């Protein structure tokens, strides 16, 4: 399937009228071209209206019904193109090609994962592997993306495939694994292996892995696998017991705060990977490009449900769905896992489509803090300009006095360094501080617990957002020492880290 610029322009011009017409044609076309699988084109038998809520019997009957009644839906390229036209207008033809060619693994298809898988499929992702051992229950229906009463008792992954097939037809390859991820290759089989023919980049490597597991040990094993194999992973922290969507954040794992699941996960990962010879350090905790997490900084509103008298009497250990997993029930408001799942999908799609965003980390800066940081930055630039002008006067024996030079604040070059007024304002300060550098020193990773200041990175370029870094006290001292010794403060930063800093700067939106 190909996307081109002419297609994008046509979709934009025709708009509502073409969309309405094609929608009508799609309905007629699919009605005529849908045929019963394995029945040589005979008419589809009506689904039984009776639904059993017994988990074991419902699972068996649903699987049989799925095999007998599954329809083969063939969507022509021109109709599929119209389906994805709004996304193509957003990402462009190249971005849309990347999304369609992507392969994504999602582990955990409950309240969070089902919404993630749902939107990734709707957005055009070409290959999804869905992994979950659990079945749809009555209590799942308050948060699952597409489950209905008819789905109670069937595997969650089967429920999703049925629904998504009605949306995407033959254009989304959905691979189901009704099993638990264990981290044991013998038990997991090829679960973590991406098919060689899939993936945009390296063949046989997942473009993105989505972690929507709610069990800490299992979650830690999955993240450890991705870290050791250099696989991009986006992980969701706790959605239960919370409701305030304004306190959702996307950050690295180290930054995630006020989230019990994130705290336990950090400790478990440290213990797990500390013994692994393939992992040199714990830098993955601060590398949002390796492991990104979505979490809520809201304090838990309600606690885990208490054990019932029946559970206490018969033995608590008899009520776990799986050995060594949580038994007590987490109260969940269905909106929170839905929003978090949609957020995971949005981040994955924007990365694949070439429109990645820099998520804000933590609380916003207050107006007084922004003003103080801005004044400090302007004072630093002013002192730097004065020093350069004095040096230029001494070297060239210029007739123009320093005071005369100060009267002109126009941008210019002095001995290879750019001088001039600040090219940012207080709003840019918050953008650079919170979104670009996520409230951390770009060199050491120090957070707001230390004094952080803004500094120009490359002195030969103007002081705009693409050329301003955030430095802690120690990093700033070394930066200034290197600048005094060699004329370039960047020499105080190791080469590999310098490359990462410059890549981050290049992604800024001026």
């Amino acid at each position: 399937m190909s996307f081109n610029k002419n297609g994008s322009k046509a979709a934009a011009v025709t708009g509502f009228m073409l969309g309405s017409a094609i929608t009508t044609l799609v309905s007629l076309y699919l009605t005529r071209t849908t045929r019963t699988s394995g029945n040589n084109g005979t008419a589809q038998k009506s689904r039984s209206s009776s639904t059993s809520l017994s988990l074991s019997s419902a699972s068996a009957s649903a699987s049989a019904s799925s095999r007998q009644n599954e329809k083969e839906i063939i969507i022509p390229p021109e109709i599929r193109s119209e389906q994805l036209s709004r996304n193509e207008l957003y990402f462009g033809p190249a971005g849309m090609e990347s999304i369609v060619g992507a392969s994504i693994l999602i582990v955990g298809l409950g309240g969070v994962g089902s919404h993630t898988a749902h939107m990734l499929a709707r957005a055009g992702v070409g290959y999804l592997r869905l992994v979950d051992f659990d079945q749809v229950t009555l209590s799942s229906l308050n948060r699952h993306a597409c489950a209905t009463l008819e789905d109670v008792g069937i595997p969650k992954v089967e429920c999703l495939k049925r629904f998504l097939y009605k949306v995407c037809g033959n254009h989304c390859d959905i691979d189901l694994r009704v099993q638990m991820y264990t981290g044991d290759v013998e038990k997991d089989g090829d679960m973590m292996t991406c098919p060689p023919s899939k993936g945009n980049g390296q063949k046989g490597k997942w473009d993105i892995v989505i972690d929507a597991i709610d069990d800490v040990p299992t979650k830690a094993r999955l993240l450890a696998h991705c870290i050791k194999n250099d696989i991009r992973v986006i992980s969701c922290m706790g959605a239960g017991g919370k409701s305030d969507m304004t306190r959702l954040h996307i950050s690295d794992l180290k930054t995630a705060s006020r989230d019990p699941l994130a705290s336990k996960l950090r400790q478990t990962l440290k213990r797990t990977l500390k013994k692994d010879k393939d992992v040199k350090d714990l830098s993955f905790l601060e590398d949002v490009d390796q492991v990104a997490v979505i979490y809520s900084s809201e304090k838990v509103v309600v606690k885990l449900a208490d054990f019932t008298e029946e559970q206490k009497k018969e033995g608590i250990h008899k009520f776990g769905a799986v050995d060594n997993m949580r038994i007590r029930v987490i109260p969940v408001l269905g909106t929170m896992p839905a929003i978090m799942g949609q957020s995971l999908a949005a981040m994955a799609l924007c990365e694949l489509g070439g429109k990645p965003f820099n998520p804000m980390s933590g609380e916003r800066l207050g107006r007084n803090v922004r003003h103080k940081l801005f004044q400090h930055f302007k004072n630093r630039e002013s002192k730097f300009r004065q020093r350069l002008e004095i040096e230029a006067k001494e070297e060239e024996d210029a007739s123009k006095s320093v005071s005369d030079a100060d009267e002109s604040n126009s941008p210019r070059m002095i001995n290879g360094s750019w001088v001039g007024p600040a090219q940012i304002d207080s709003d840019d300060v918050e953008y650079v501080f919170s979104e670009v550098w996520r409230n951390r020193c770009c060199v050491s990773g120090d957070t707001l617990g230390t004094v952080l200041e803004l500094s120009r990175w490359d002195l030969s370029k103007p002081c705009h957002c693409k050329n301003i870094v955030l430095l802690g006290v120690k990093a700033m001292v070394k930066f200034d020492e290197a600048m005094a010794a060699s004329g370039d403060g960047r020499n105080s930063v190791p080469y590999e880290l310098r490359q990462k800093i410059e890549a981050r700067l290049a992604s800024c939106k001026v």
Side-chain angles (χ1 to χ4, degrees):
M1 181 176 183
S2 62
F3 295 86
N4 53 59
K5 296 181 178 178
N6 292 332
S8 297
K9 293 179 180 178
V13 172
T14 55
F16 175 78
M17 294 181 63
L18 179 58
S20 300
I22 291 184
T23 299
T24 303
L25 291 174
V26 169
S27 179
L28 293 173
Y29 181 88
L30 294 181
T31 300
R32 294 180 179 181
T33 60
T34 300
R35 57 184 181 275
T36 304
S37 177
N39 202 23
N40 298 323
T42 58
Q44 171 71 23
K45 294 181 179 180
S46 62
R47 178 180 294 179
S48 173
S49 59
S50 61
T51 302
S52 171
L53 298 184
S54 169
L55 297 187
S56 58
S57 61
S59 179
S61 61
S63 298
S65 175
S66 176
R67 288 191 295 270
Q68 294 174 4
N69 298 332
E70 183 177 340
K71 297 179 179 180
E72 184 178 4
I73 302 176
I74 306 298
I75 303 178
E78 62 273 16
I79 294 180
R80 181 60 172 168
S81 181
E82 175 61 20
Q83 267 189 306
L84 302 176
S85 61
R86 300 302 187 270
N87 279 32
E88 185 183 356
L89 288 172
Y90 184 82
F91 291 110
M96 201 62 230
E97 285 283 4
S98 178
I99 290 172
V100 170
S103 60
I104 296 179
L105 168 66
I106 306 177
V107 185
L109 278 301
V112 174
S114 63
H115 283 274
T116 304
H118 174 210
M119 288 312 300
L120 290 177
R122 280 189 180 275
V125 172
Y127 181 86
L128 291 172
R129 179 172 293 168
L130 309 181
V131 179
D132 198 309
F133 70 94
D134 207 359
Q135 298 172 330
V136 177
T137 64
L138 284 171
S139 63
S140 303
L141 301 185
N142 83 316
R143 58 193 181 279
H144 197 276
C146 58
T148 67
L149 285 170
E150 292 183 349
D151 299 310
V152 172
I154 70 171
K156 291 178 179 178
V157 292
E158 177 67 29
C159 167
L160 270 163
K161 183 172 183 178
R162 287 184 185 181
F163 179 83
L164 296 176
Y165 190 60
K166 296 176 183 178
V167 178
C168 308
N170 61 310
H171 288 276
C172 183
D173 186 356
I174 301 178
D175 180 10
L176 306 185
R177 301 299 172 93
V178 186
Q179 61 186 117
M180 174 187 285
Y181 173 74
T182 66
D184 185 333
V185 178
E186 293 185 1
K187 294 180 180 179
D188 296 337
D190 64 349
M191 179 195 298
M192 298 302 296
T193 304
C194 181
S197 61
K198 308 296 181 181
N200 287 315
Q202 180 181 344
K203 289 186 176 181
K205 183 176 180 180
W206 297 105
D207 291 290
I208 294 175
V209 169
I210 301 292
D211 161 39
I213 303 170
D214 60 3
D215 172 63
V216 174
T218 310
K219 201 176 193 72
R221 287 193 289 270
L222 178 61
L223 264 60
H225 172 86
C226 293
I227 292 166
K228 289 190 291 185
N229 292 277
D230 192 28
I231 301 173
R232 170 61 164 154
V233 58
I234 306 177
S235 178
C236 184
M237 298 297 104
K242 301 185 178 185
S243 59
D244 187 355
M245 75 293 298
T246 66
R247 294 187 181 275
L248 291 179
H249 312 279
I250 297 176
S251 72
D252 55 69
L253 186 54
K254 185 177 180 179
T255 301
S257 60
R258 297 182 184 177
D259 189 303
L261 180 60
S263 300
K264 293 178 182 177
L265 180 61
R266 279 195 296 267
Q267 297 303 318
T268 305
L269 266 178
K270 287 179 181 179
R271 289 195 300 268
T272 302
L273 295 177
K274 191 175 182 179
K275 305 174 184 177
D276 198 302
K277 296 180 180 179
D278 296 330
V279 180
K280 298 179 180 179
D281 52 44
L282 300 178
S283 60
F284 63 86
L285 291 173
E286 302 178 26
D287 188 358
V288 72
D289 296 319
Q290 168 68 70
V291 181
V293 302
I294 178 169
Y295 72 98
S296 169
S297 60
E298 179 189 8
K299 292 183 179 180
V300 176
V301 179
V302 290
K303 299 180 180 179
L304 294 175
D306 292 330
F307 295 117
T308 64
E309 291 301 322
E310 178 188 1
Q311 290 173 323
K312 294 176 182 179
K313 184 177 180 180
E314 295 190 22
I316 295 171
H317 64 281
K318 296 182 180 180
F319 289 86
V322 178
D323 290 340
N324 301 317
M325 290 192 69
R326 185 190 71 250
I327 299 176
R328 294 176 67 185
V329 176
I330 298 179
V332 181
L333 181 64
T335 53
M336 185 58 75
I339 294 170
M340 296 178 85
Q342 297 276 349
S343 300
L344 291 174
M347 188 169 191
L349 289 170
C350 287
E351 287 187 9
L352 292 169
K355 287 186 178 293
F357 51 82
N358 292 319
M360 292 185 66
S361 178
E363 302 292 337
R364 294 187 61 183
L365 293 175
R367 183 176 61 181
N368 292 338
V369 175
R370 293 200 305 269
H371 178 73
K372 181 179 179 180
L373 287 168
F374 188 38
Q375 290 304 315
H376 286 187
F377 177 71
K378 290 197 296 183
N379 291 338
R380 178 179 173 82
E381 285 291 312
S382 178
K383 291 178 180 178
F384 175 65
R385 179 190 182 104
Q386 291 176 11
R387 181 170 63 81
L388 285 178
E389 289 172 342
I390 291 174
E391 291 175 355
K393 180 178 182 300
E394 293 175 348
E395 292 176 3
E396 301 174 10
D397 194 23
S399 59
K400 194 173 185 180
S401 66
V402 175
S403 60
D404 291 337
D406 284 342
E407 292 177 2
S408 174
N409 198 33
S410 59
R412 65 181 189 278
M413 300 295 292
I414 300 179
N415 293 339
S417 295
W418 184 93
V419 295
Q423 307 294 297
I424 62 172
D425 56 27
S426 60
D427 289 335
D428 293 324
V429 168
E430 180 174 18
Y431 167 71
V432 171
F433 204 95
S434 301
E435 296 191 44
V436 178
W437 300 112
R438 302 184 178 114
N439 303 343
R440 291 181 176 276
C441 169
C442 67
V443 176
S444 66
D446 292 340
T447 63
L448 285 171
T450 186
V451 177
L452 297 172
E453 297 287 356
L454 299 171
S455 175
R456 190 149 45 114
W457 177 248
D458 185 349
L459 299 180
S460 66
K461 298 178 181 179
C463 48
H464 48 59
C465 292
K466 286 182 175 287
N467 193 33
I468 296 176
V469 294
L470 189 61
L471 297 173
V473 175
K474 294 180 179 179
M476 183 71 84
V477 170
K478 293 181 179 180
F479 189 87
D480 288 344
E481 288 175 349
M483 185 166 58
S486 63
D488 192 345
R490 296 174 295 176
N491 292 334
S492 65
V493 182
Y495 178 76
E496 291 185 0
L497 180 55
R498 179 172 169 172
Q499 295 295 104
K500 290 183 178 180
I501 291 173
E502 291 178 351
R504 175 67 68 183
L505 289 170
S507 69
C508 291
K509 304 171 184 177
V510 179

